[in-house]
Amino acid sequence: RSDGLLGVLAYQLRQVCDWPKWRTVWDTLAPKLATDANLGSPFWLLCEPTTAEQQLVYTRRWAAARFEKIQPLPPAPTRTQPTNRRLRIGYLSSDFQEHAVGHLVVEALECHDRDRFEVFAYSYGPNDESAMRQRLRAACEHFVDIAWQPDDVAARQIQADDLDLLVDLKGYTLSDRLSIMARRPCAIQATWLGYPGTTGASFIDYAIADEFIIPADAASHYSERIVRLPHCYQPNDRKRIVAETLPRAAYGLPEHAFVFCCFNQTNKITPDVFSLWMRLLGAVPASVLWILESNPPAKRNLLAAAQRHGVGADRL
Protein backbone atom coordinates (compact mmCIF):
# COMPACT_ATOMS: atom_id res chain seq x y z
CA ARG A 1 0.00 0.00 0.00
CA SER A 2 1.13 3.53 -0.78
CA ASP A 3 0.55 4.82 2.78
CA GLY A 4 3.49 2.82 4.08
CA LEU A 5 5.69 4.24 1.35
CA LEU A 6 4.56 7.75 2.24
CA GLY A 7 5.68 7.08 5.80
CA VAL A 8 9.12 6.12 4.50
CA LEU A 9 9.16 9.22 2.30
CA ALA A 10 8.28 11.54 5.21
CA TYR A 11 11.13 10.07 7.26
CA GLN A 12 13.64 10.35 4.42
CA LEU A 13 12.65 13.95 3.73
CA ARG A 14 13.39 14.67 7.37
CA GLN A 15 16.79 13.02 6.95
CA VAL A 16 17.66 15.42 4.14
CA CYS A 17 15.94 18.40 5.84
CA ASP A 18 13.73 19.10 2.84
CA TRP A 19 11.03 20.63 5.00
CA PRO A 20 8.74 22.03 2.25
CA LYS A 21 8.36 18.58 0.66
CA TRP A 22 8.11 16.96 4.09
CA ARG A 23 5.25 19.29 5.01
CA THR A 24 3.31 18.27 1.87
CA VAL A 25 3.74 14.56 2.71
CA TRP A 26 2.97 15.05 6.40
CA ASP A 27 -0.23 16.97 5.65
CA THR A 28 -1.37 13.89 3.73
CA LEU A 29 -0.37 11.39 6.41
CA ALA A 30 -1.40 13.19 9.59
CA PRO A 31 -5.20 12.83 9.15
CA LYS A 32 -4.79 9.05 8.78
CA LEU A 33 -3.09 8.50 12.15
CA ALA A 34 -6.39 7.93 13.92
CA THR A 35 -7.61 5.17 11.60
CA ASP A 36 -4.77 3.64 9.56
CA ALA A 37 -2.37 0.85 10.59
CA ASN A 38 0.03 1.11 7.66
CA LEU A 39 1.72 4.50 7.88
CA GLY A 40 5.13 3.00 8.55
CA SER A 41 7.14 2.21 11.66
CA PRO A 42 6.21 4.06 14.87
CA PHE A 43 9.89 4.98 15.07
CA TRP A 44 9.36 7.42 12.22
CA LEU A 45 6.63 9.20 14.20
CA LEU A 46 8.81 10.06 17.18
CA CYS A 47 10.15 13.23 15.55
CA GLU A 48 6.84 14.19 13.95
CA PRO A 49 4.44 16.76 15.43
CA THR A 50 2.35 14.13 17.19
CA THR A 51 1.10 13.87 20.75
CA ALA A 52 1.88 10.93 23.02
CA GLU A 53 -1.76 9.93 22.78
CA GLN A 54 -1.63 9.87 18.97
CA GLN A 55 1.53 7.77 19.07
CA LEU A 56 -0.10 5.23 21.39
CA VAL A 57 -3.29 4.95 19.33
CA TYR A 58 -1.38 4.42 16.09
CA THR A 59 1.32 2.19 17.58
CA ARG A 60 -1.22 -0.15 19.17
CA ARG A 61 -2.96 -0.56 15.84
CA TRP A 62 0.30 -1.02 13.95
CA ALA A 63 1.64 -3.56 16.49
CA ALA A 64 -1.60 -5.53 16.44
CA ALA A 65 -1.36 -5.83 12.66
CA ARG A 66 2.34 -6.73 12.70
CA PHE A 67 2.15 -9.42 15.39
CA GLU A 68 -1.41 -10.73 14.95
CA LYS A 69 -0.37 -14.05 13.37
CA ILE A 70 2.31 -14.89 15.97
CA GLN A 71 1.22 -17.39 18.60
CA PRO A 72 2.77 -17.58 22.09
CA LEU A 73 4.87 -20.63 22.86
CA PRO A 74 3.20 -23.44 24.82
CA PRO A 75 3.96 -23.06 28.55
CA ALA A 76 7.25 -24.60 29.62
CA PRO A 77 7.14 -27.52 32.06
CA THR A 78 7.02 -26.39 35.69
CA ARG A 79 10.39 -26.76 37.36
CA THR A 80 11.27 -26.99 41.02
CA GLN A 81 13.65 -24.13 41.73
CA PRO A 82 16.34 -24.23 44.42
CA THR A 83 15.73 -21.75 47.22
CA ASN A 84 19.04 -19.98 46.59
CA ARG A 85 18.53 -19.58 42.83
CA ARG A 86 19.66 -16.23 41.45
CA LEU A 87 17.28 -14.15 39.34
CA ARG A 88 17.91 -14.78 35.65
CA ILE A 89 17.84 -11.66 33.48
CA GLY A 90 18.13 -11.77 29.70
CA TYR A 91 18.90 -8.86 27.38
CA LEU A 92 17.87 -9.04 23.71
CA SER A 93 19.58 -6.83 21.13
CA SER A 94 21.48 -6.60 17.85
CA ASP A 95 23.74 -3.94 19.35
CA PHE A 96 26.18 -6.05 21.35
CA GLN A 97 29.01 -4.68 19.21
CA GLU A 98 30.68 -1.35 18.36
CA HIS A 99 27.40 0.56 18.64
CA ALA A 100 26.04 3.44 20.73
CA VAL A 101 23.81 1.12 22.79
CA GLY A 102 26.74 -1.23 23.35
CA HIS A 103 28.76 1.66 24.73
CA LEU A 104 25.91 2.71 27.01
CA VAL A 105 25.04 -0.67 28.45
CA VAL A 106 28.39 -2.43 28.80
CA GLU A 107 29.32 -1.20 32.28
CA ALA A 108 25.75 -1.66 33.51
CA LEU A 109 26.08 -5.33 32.57
CA GLU A 110 29.45 -5.52 34.30
CA CYS A 111 28.00 -4.00 37.47
CA HIS A 112 25.22 -6.57 37.96
CA ASP A 113 25.51 -8.19 41.40
CA ARG A 114 26.48 -11.74 40.45
CA ASP A 115 25.44 -13.01 43.88
CA ARG A 116 21.86 -12.02 43.03
CA PHE A 117 21.61 -12.07 39.23
CA GLU A 118 22.55 -14.45 36.43
CA VAL A 119 22.96 -12.46 33.22
CA PHE A 120 22.13 -13.66 29.70
CA ALA A 121 22.72 -11.69 26.49
CA TYR A 122 20.92 -12.77 23.31
CA SER A 123 22.72 -11.20 20.37
CA TYR A 124 21.33 -11.14 16.84
CA GLY A 125 23.65 -8.52 15.38
CA PRO A 126 26.94 -9.07 13.56
CA ASN A 127 30.06 -10.21 15.36
CA ASP A 128 32.32 -7.30 14.48
CA GLU A 129 35.19 -8.82 16.53
CA SER A 130 35.69 -5.41 18.15
CA ALA A 131 37.08 -4.77 21.61
CA MET A 132 33.57 -3.69 22.61
CA ARG A 133 32.15 -7.04 21.47
CA GLN A 134 34.71 -8.88 23.57
CA ARG A 135 33.99 -6.73 26.58
CA LEU A 136 30.24 -7.27 26.25
CA ARG A 137 30.82 -11.03 26.01
CA ALA A 138 32.87 -10.98 29.19
CA ALA A 139 30.22 -8.89 30.99
CA CYS A 140 27.60 -11.67 30.69
CA GLU A 141 27.74 -15.16 32.12
CA HIS A 142 25.84 -16.42 29.08
CA PHE A 143 26.39 -14.74 25.71
CA VAL A 144 24.13 -16.46 23.19
CA ASP A 145 24.48 -15.66 19.48
CA ILE A 146 21.05 -16.11 17.88
CA ALA A 147 21.81 -14.11 14.72
CA TRP A 148 21.22 -17.10 12.43
CA GLN A 149 18.34 -18.65 14.37
CA PRO A 150 14.76 -18.18 13.14
CA ASP A 151 12.52 -16.36 15.59
CA ASP A 152 10.72 -19.48 16.76
CA VAL A 153 13.98 -21.33 17.43
CA ALA A 154 15.43 -18.33 19.28
CA ALA A 155 12.27 -18.00 21.37
CA ARG A 156 12.43 -21.68 22.39
CA GLN A 157 16.09 -21.25 23.31
CA ILE A 158 15.23 -18.30 25.54
CA GLN A 159 12.30 -20.15 27.09
CA ALA A 160 14.56 -23.14 27.84
CA ASP A 161 16.91 -20.82 29.74
CA ASP A 162 14.07 -20.25 32.23
CA LEU A 163 14.48 -16.50 32.65
CA ASP A 164 12.73 -14.42 35.29
CA LEU A 165 12.91 -11.27 33.15
CA LEU A 166 13.61 -10.62 29.46
CA VAL A 167 14.56 -7.06 28.47
CA ASP A 168 14.45 -5.81 24.88
CA LEU A 169 16.99 -3.07 24.10
CA LYS A 170 15.76 -2.18 20.59
CA GLY A 171 12.08 -1.24 20.46
CA TYR A 172 11.24 -0.33 16.87
CA THR A 173 14.75 0.75 15.90
CA LEU A 174 16.62 -0.77 12.96
CA SER A 175 16.56 -4.58 12.70
CA ASP A 176 14.44 -5.19 15.79
CA ARG A 177 13.25 -8.73 16.49
CA LEU A 178 10.31 -8.04 18.75
CA SER A 179 8.70 -10.96 16.96
CA ILE A 180 10.77 -13.10 19.35
CA MET A 181 9.21 -11.33 22.32
CA ALA A 182 5.76 -11.79 20.73
CA ARG A 183 6.17 -15.54 21.28
CA ARG A 184 6.35 -14.92 25.06
CA PRO A 185 9.52 -16.86 25.88
CA CYS A 186 9.47 -15.25 29.32
CA ALA A 187 6.57 -14.53 31.67
CA ILE A 188 7.77 -10.98 32.41
CA GLN A 189 9.07 -8.87 29.52
CA ALA A 190 10.26 -5.26 29.42
CA THR A 191 11.73 -2.70 27.04
CA TRP A 192 14.58 -0.34 27.91
CA LEU A 193 17.16 2.07 26.59
CA GLY A 194 17.09 1.88 22.79
CA TYR A 195 13.57 3.20 22.17
CA PRO A 196 11.80 5.72 24.43
CA GLY A 197 8.35 5.40 22.85
CA THR A 198 5.61 2.90 23.60
CA THR A 199 5.71 -0.42 21.76
CA GLY A 200 1.91 -0.65 21.86
CA ALA A 201 2.42 -4.42 22.18
CA SER A 202 0.44 -6.62 24.55
CA PHE A 203 3.47 -8.85 25.19
CA ILE A 204 5.66 -6.05 26.62
CA ASP A 205 4.73 -5.65 30.28
CA TYR A 206 7.03 -2.85 31.43
CA ALA A 207 8.95 0.13 30.05
CA ILE A 208 12.01 1.18 32.06
CA ALA A 209 12.41 4.96 32.08
CA ASP A 210 12.87 7.96 34.35
CA GLU A 211 10.85 11.06 35.19
CA PHE A 212 12.28 12.99 32.25
CA ILE A 213 11.79 10.37 29.54
CA ILE A 214 8.24 9.54 30.66
CA PRO A 215 6.78 12.24 32.92
CA ALA A 216 3.99 11.18 35.27
CA ASP A 217 1.30 12.77 33.10
CA ALA A 218 2.48 10.79 30.05
CA ALA A 219 2.31 7.32 31.61
CA SER A 220 -1.28 6.79 30.49
CA HIS A 221 -0.12 7.06 26.88
CA TYR A 222 2.04 3.93 27.15
CA SER A 223 0.70 0.42 26.78
CA GLU A 224 3.37 -0.74 29.22
CA ARG A 225 3.49 -0.20 32.97
CA ILE A 226 6.26 2.31 33.70
CA VAL A 227 9.17 1.45 35.98
CA ARG A 228 11.15 4.61 36.73
CA LEU A 229 14.77 4.50 37.75
CA PRO A 230 15.49 7.01 40.52
CA HIS A 231 17.99 9.25 38.71
CA CYS A 232 18.45 8.52 35.00
CA TYR A 233 17.37 5.62 32.80
CA GLN A 234 20.48 5.89 30.62
CA PRO A 235 23.70 4.30 31.87
CA ASN A 236 27.05 5.54 30.64
CA ASP A 237 30.39 3.78 30.58
CA ARG A 238 32.78 5.43 33.04
CA LYS A 239 35.67 3.49 31.49
CA ARG A 240 35.20 4.93 28.02
CA ILE A 241 38.38 6.56 26.78
CA VAL A 242 37.97 10.20 25.76
CA ALA A 243 39.99 11.22 22.73
CA GLU A 244 42.58 13.94 23.02
CA THR A 245 41.14 17.39 22.34
CA LEU A 246 42.55 18.97 19.19
CA PRO A 247 42.98 22.69 18.48
CA ARG A 248 39.89 24.45 17.13
CA ALA A 249 41.51 24.87 13.74
CA ALA A 250 41.66 21.09 13.34
CA TYR A 251 37.86 21.03 13.48
CA GLY A 252 37.44 24.03 11.21
CA LEU A 253 36.14 26.16 14.10
CA PRO A 254 36.89 29.88 14.56
CA GLU A 255 39.39 30.49 17.31
CA HIS A 256 37.36 32.93 19.42
CA ALA A 257 33.72 32.25 18.46
CA PHE A 258 31.10 30.93 20.87
CA VAL A 259 30.23 27.46 19.55
CA PHE A 260 26.69 26.14 19.66
CA CYS A 261 26.60 22.46 18.71
CA CYS A 262 24.23 19.59 18.05
CA PHE A 263 25.45 16.22 16.79
CA ASN A 264 22.04 14.55 16.47
CA GLN A 265 20.99 12.88 13.25
CA THR A 266 19.39 15.35 10.88
CA ASN A 267 15.92 13.76 11.05
CA LYS A 268 15.72 15.11 14.62
CA ILE A 269 16.11 18.72 13.45
CA THR A 270 12.68 20.26 13.02
CA PRO A 271 11.95 23.53 11.19
CA ASP A 272 10.91 25.17 14.47
CA VAL A 273 14.07 24.10 16.28
CA PHE A 274 16.24 25.28 13.39
CA SER A 275 14.44 28.64 13.38
CA LEU A 276 15.25 29.00 17.09
CA TRP A 277 18.90 28.19 16.40
CA MET A 278 19.03 30.90 13.75
CA ARG A 279 17.58 33.45 16.19
CA LEU A 280 20.28 32.47 18.68
CA LEU A 281 22.99 33.00 16.07
CA GLY A 282 21.47 36.38 15.29
CA ALA A 283 21.45 37.32 18.97
CA VAL A 284 25.07 36.20 19.50
CA PRO A 285 27.04 37.71 16.59
CA ALA A 286 30.39 36.10 17.43
CA SER A 287 29.03 32.55 17.31
CA VAL A 288 28.79 29.53 15.03
CA LEU A 289 26.65 26.41 14.92
CA TRP A 290 28.53 23.09 14.74
CA ILE A 291 26.34 20.24 13.47
CA LEU A 292 26.77 16.73 12.12
CA GLU A 293 27.25 16.49 8.37
CA SER A 294 24.90 13.57 7.97
CA ASN A 295 24.42 13.61 4.20
CA PRO A 296 25.12 16.07 1.33
CA PRO A 297 21.46 16.98 0.61
CA ALA A 298 20.88 17.83 4.28
CA LYS A 299 23.93 20.09 4.27
CA ARG A 300 22.71 21.93 1.19
CA ASN A 301 19.20 22.32 2.59
CA LEU A 302 20.36 23.51 6.01
CA LEU A 303 22.71 26.09 4.49
CA ALA A 304 19.90 27.35 2.26
CA ALA A 305 17.52 27.51 5.23
CA ALA A 306 20.08 29.49 7.22
CA GLN A 307 20.42 32.02 4.44
CA ARG A 308 16.62 32.40 4.30
CA HIS A 309 16.84 33.33 7.98
CA GLY A 310 19.47 35.94 7.16
CA VAL A 311 22.35 33.86 8.56
CA GLY A 312 25.47 33.45 6.44
CA ALA A 313 26.63 29.99 5.42
CA ASP A 314 29.93 30.61 7.19
CA ARG A 315 28.10 30.53 10.54
CA LEU A 316 27.40 26.79 10.16
Side-chain angles (χ1 to χ4, degrees):
R1 289 178 54 190
S2 60
D3 289 349
L5 293 178
L6 281 174
V8 176
L9 179 58
Y11 178 70
Q12 295 300 331
L13 289 171
R14 273 203 177 277
Q15 291 276 40
V16 300
C17 299
D18 191 333
W19 297 320
K21 289 182 181 177
W22 162 79
R23 172 57 65 184
T24 300
V25 174
W26 180 244
D27 287 346
T28 302
L29 287 180
K32 301 182 181 184
L33 278 176
T35 57
D36 208 301
N38 191 37
L39 301 177
S41 170
F43 174 77
W44 301 335
L45 297 178
L46 293 183
C47 293
E48 301 293 3
T50 54
T51 66
E53 182 177 10
Q54 286 176 310
Q55 290 177 15
L56 174 62
V57 169
Y58 173 72
T59 303
R60 268 185 167 152
R61 192 183 309 112
W62 184 85
R66 178 182 175 186
F67 303 114
E68 64 180 349
K69 295 182 179 179
I70 299 177
Q71 297 298 314
L73 295 172
T78 303
R79 305 177 187 179
T80 302
Q81 303 292 355
T83 56
N84 62 346
R85 179 184 186 269
R86 294 175 296 164
L87 287 174
R88 294 185 171 188
I89 304 178
Y91 294 94
L92 177 67
S93 181
S94 66
D95 299 332
F96 295 124
Q97 53 172 305
E98 187 63 39
H99 186 279
V101 170
H103 279 276
L104 292 178
V105 79
V106 62
E107 193 181 5
L109 295 175
E110 292 170 340
C111 287
H112 280 54
D113 183 347
R114 296 308 169 86
D115 292 331
R116 299 173 59 200
F117 304 106
E118 188 173 356
V119 181
F120 295 72
Y122 299 97
S123 171
Y124 56 87
N127 177 8
D128 61 359
E129 300 183 349
S130 63
M132 178 54 64
R133 175 79 167 195
Q134 299 308 311
R135 188 175 161 197
L136 285 159
R137 273 186 173 277
C140 305
E141 289 172 87
H142 310 275
F143 192 94
V144 187
D145 192 337
I146 59 170
W148 297 102
Q149 292 183 5
D151 290 348
D152 57 337
V153 175
R156 288 196 295 271
Q157 163 81 61
I158 294 170
Q159 184 186 61
D161 288 334
D162 196 23
L163 302 178
D164 297 288
L165 172 65
L166 178 61
V167 183
D168 164 66
L169 300 178
K170 292 288 293 185
Y172 294 129
T173 56
L174 182 66
S175 304
D176 81 84
R177 287 180 70 181
L178 281 175
S179 47
I180 293 175
M181 305 280 274
R183 289 167 166 79
R184 269 290 180 184
C186 184
I188 302 176
Q189 302 188 149
T191 184
W192 175 48
L193 194 59
Y195 183 81
T198 182
T199 64
S202 61
F203 51 82
I204 301 293
D205 307 299
Y206 297 94
I208 301 170
D210 56 34
E211 292 290 346
F212 180 81
I213 292 294
I214 306 178
D217 60 359
S220 62
H221 302 312
Y222 277 69
S223 60
E224 305 84 0
R225 292 180 64 183
I226 309 304
V227 178
R228 290 184 177 83
L229 296 177
H231 304 294
C232 180
Y233 93 119
Q234 178 177 303
N236 284 276
D237 179 17
R238 295 169 296 178
K239 302 174 185 176
R240 186 175 180 180
I241 298 173
V242 178
E244 180 182 354
T245 302
L246 301 177
R248 283 189 173 212
Y251 300 109
L253 296 171
E255 190 63 35
H256 301 294
F258 184 90
V259 180
F260 295 101
C261 69
C262 176
F263 298 148
N264 278 304
Q265 296 180 47
T266 46
N267 67 287
K268 299 179 182 179
I269 303 175
T270 68
D272 290 342
V273 165
F274 192 78
S275 177
L276 174 60
W277 290 350
M278 295 304 98
R279 295 202 302 273
L280 283 169
L281 290 179
V284 185
S287 66
V288 295
L289 173 61
W290 193 16
I291 53 181
L292 179 69
E293 186 171 341
S294 180
N295 58 81
K299 180 178 180 179
R300 291 194 300 270
N301 288 328
L302 289 173
L303 290 174
Q307 291 173 327
R308 289 196 296 271
H309 282 278
V311 175
D314 60 328
R315 303 286 298 282
L316 273 65

